[in-house]
């Protein structure tokens, strides 16, 4: 399987992206901000289509728009935690823009041979990554992972008790904005692997499973990353062995089944 270059690229980029998604996803679940990631996944879709409609590289719009909207949502929310009203407003507005840019792109530029680009943004194209793109994706994902690990302890403190953290001198608002930037970067890079519609599954399912398996935050953080990477590896392998299964579906199916498995009473850890 790994003798094929496209599988090598898929495993390289997929492993790094899954690692970042598992780390970021744990804090999303802990901070009850999964809806934020859902909104940013649609932002990623809209940003990519806006860039394509303008004749630019989709990745330019993908990363720039997602990070900018993440910062805007943080600025509108209390202590950089956007509430449901802010997220819902952005969600509805960005969906409308996404439809507009999709229509604009398909009517003006689909004849250039990139008509499948919008489908790739929606559902991912991990088997179509070039060597350069796979390496760039992996580098960005590893930088995001390193940033999450570096911020893990103060971010955990600010997540558990914002008021006490602020009283102790922890820059709660700055941490919140920084975390949203990391979420935006993760959503943007994950779009290339599993697609804008399925990003939330990769962010939430491994983290949810880890939270059920242990009550220790740092252990759960590592476990979330491990489950996400294992789901990526198994999903890619299954998709290779059964070509009829799209890789995005296989990856998310493994992650979701893992989460459902941890919901069984015999696997759920009950705190003392």
């Amino acid at each position: 399987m790994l003798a094929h270059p496209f599988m090598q690229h898929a495993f390289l980029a997929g492993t790094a992206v899954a690692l970042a998604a598992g780390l970021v996803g744990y804090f999303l679940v802990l901070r009850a901000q999964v809806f934020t990631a859902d909104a940013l996944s649609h932002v990623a879709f809209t940003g990519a289509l806006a860039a394509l409609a303008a004749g630019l590289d989709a990745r330019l719009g993908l990363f720039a728009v997602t990070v900018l909207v993440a910062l805007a949502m943080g600025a509108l929310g209390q202590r950089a935690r956007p509430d449901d009203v802010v997220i819902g407003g952005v969600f509805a507005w960005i969906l409308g823009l996404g439809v507009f840019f999709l229509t604009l792109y398909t009517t003006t530029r689909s004849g250039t041979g990139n008509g499948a680009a919008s489908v790739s943004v929606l559902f991912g194209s991990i088997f179509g990554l070039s060597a350069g793109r796979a390496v760039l994706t992996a580098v960005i994902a590893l930088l995001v992972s390193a940033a999450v690990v570096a911020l893990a302890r103060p971010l955990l403190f600010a997540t558990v008790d914002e008021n006490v953290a602020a009283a102790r001198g922890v820059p709660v608002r700055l941490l919140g904005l920084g975390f949203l930037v990391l979420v935006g970067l993760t959503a943007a890079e994950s779009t290339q692997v599993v697609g804008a519609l399925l990003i939330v599954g990769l962010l939430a399912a491994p983290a949810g499973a880890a939270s059920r398996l242990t009550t220790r935050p740092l252990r759960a953080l590592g476990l979330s990353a491990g489950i996400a990477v294992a789901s990526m590896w198994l999903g890619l392998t299954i998709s290779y062995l059964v070509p009829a299964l799209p890789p995005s579906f296989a990856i998310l199916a493994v992650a979701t089944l893992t989460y459902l498995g941890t919901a069984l009473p015999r696997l759920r850890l009950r705190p003392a």
Side-chain angles (χ1 to χ4, degrees), residues 235-247:
L236 289 175
T237 302
I238 292 170
S239 184
Y240 175 79
L241 296 175
V242 186
L245 291 179

Side-chain angles (χ1 to χ4, degrees), residues 129-149:
L129 295 176
S130 64
R133 192 170 179 182
V135 170
L136 179 60
T137 299
V139 169
I140 294 173
L142 290 175
L143 289 175
V144 170
S145 300
V148 175
V149 172

Side-chain angles (χ1 to χ4, degrees), residues 217-228:
L218 295 181
R219 180 178 294 179
L221 181 64
L223 191 56
S224 175
I227 292 173

Side-chain angles (χ1 to χ4, degrees), residues 25-137:
Y26 176 71
F27 281 106
L28 280 173
V29 170
L30 197 63
R31 294 167 67 88
Q33 287 185 297
V34 175
F35 189 29
T36 303
D38 192 21
L40 289 177
S41 69
H42 289 77
V43 172
F45 167 69
T46 300
L49 287 178
L52 288 172
L56 303 173
D57 190 319
R59 288 171 292 179
L60 180 62
L62 194 67
F63 284 93
V65 175
T66 306
V67 171
L68 287 175
V69 172
L71 287 171
M73 290 170 61
L76 291 172
Q78 185 178 12
R79 287 185 174 174
R81 282 205 194 192
D83 55 29
D84 288 346
V85 175
V86 172
I87 299 170
V90 170
F91 195 92
W93 175 66
I94 214 69
L95 276 180
L97 280 179
V99 172
F100 168 73
F101 285 124
L102 177 61
T103 302
L104 184 64
Y105 173 66
T106 54
T107 55
T108 61
R109 294 188 179 273
S110 59
T112 62
N114 293 323
S118 58
V119 177
S120 296
V121 172
L122 282 172
F123 301 106
S125 57
I126 191 169
F127 284 164
L129 295 176
S130 64
R133 192 170 179 182
V135 170
L136 179 60
T137 299

Side-chain angles (χ1 to χ4, degrees), residues 9 11 32 49 186 268-269 271:
H9 303 160
F11 269 92
L49 287 178
T186 305
R268 185 182 303 169
L269 179 68

Side-chain angles (χ1 to χ4, degrees), residues 119-220:
V119 177
S120 296
V121 172
L122 282 172
F123 301 106
S125 57
I126 191 169
F127 284 164
L129 295 176
S130 64
R133 192 170 179 182
V135 170
L136 179 60
T137 299
V139 169
I140 294 173
L142 290 175
L143 289 175
V144 170
S145 300
V148 175
V149 172
L151 296 175
R153 288 187 179 276
L155 186 59
L156 179 62
F157 190 13
T159 298
V160 173
D161 196 324
E162 287 185 344
N163 293 326
V164 174
R168 291 287 186 90
V170 176
V172 173
R173 184 172 181 81
L174 185 60
L175 274 176
L177 288 173
F179 177 67
L180 285 175
V181 169
L182 295 177
V183 175
L185 289 172
T186 305
E189 67 184 358
S190 298
T191 298
Q192 303 177 78
V193 176
V194 295
L197 292 183
L198 304 176
I199 289 173
V200 177
L202 189 61
L203 287 165
S211 297
R212 287 182 178 274
L213 290 172
T214 180
T215 55
R216 296 184 178 183
L218 295 181
R219 180 178 294 179

